[in-house]
Amino acid sequence: MKIKTEIIQSIFIITCNGSSLDASHAQTFLKAMGQFIQKSGMDVVLDISDVNFVDSAGLGSVIRSLTEIGGSGTLLLCGATDRTLSL
């Protein structure tokens, strides 16, 4: 999985490019999110439109990121497939 990060108009956008956000990618995802979240109060857009599968570790990493954002910003999930949303 490749993770692309960018800031557009004070919004942190993280795009996951790969077929799955699972245990093998959860730590990489958390590292990318964590380094940014700790330094900002920006809102975050998580684009998972290229992700077809999320396991419990991947879902846990998204929830942990949301927890770390706390009240300093918002996490918006976009591009989720019906299968991903069913988790």
Side-chain angles (χ1 to χ4, degrees):
M1 171 181 289
K2 292 184 180 180
I3 297 175
K4 177 184 171 190
T5 59
E6 60 186 319
I7 298 173
I8 299 177
Q9 297 181 1
S10 300
I11 298 174
F12 177 61
I13 300 171
I14 184 164
T15 304
C16 297
N17 294 315
S19 62
S20 64
L21 177 54
D22 56 17
S24 65
H25 302 295
Q27 289 303 316
T28 303
F29 172 80
L30 279 173
K31 185 176 178 181
M33 290 290 286
Q35 289 176 347
F36 181 81
I37 290 171
Q38 293 174 358
K39 297 178 182 176
S40 77
M42 290 185 184
D43 293 330
V44 178
V45 173
L46 173 57
D47 180 0
I48 59 168
S49 56
D50 287 340
V51 175
N52 297 317
F53 175 76
V54 179
D55 71 1
S56 60
L59 181 59
S61 65
V62 172
I63 292 170
R64 183 171 171 190
S65 297
L66 178 59
T67 302
E68 289 179 8
I69 291 170
S72 66
T74 302
L75 175 65
L76 176 68
L77 183 65
C78 70
T81 64
D82 288 339
R83 181 178 179 191
T84 304
L85 288 174
S86 69
L87 292 172

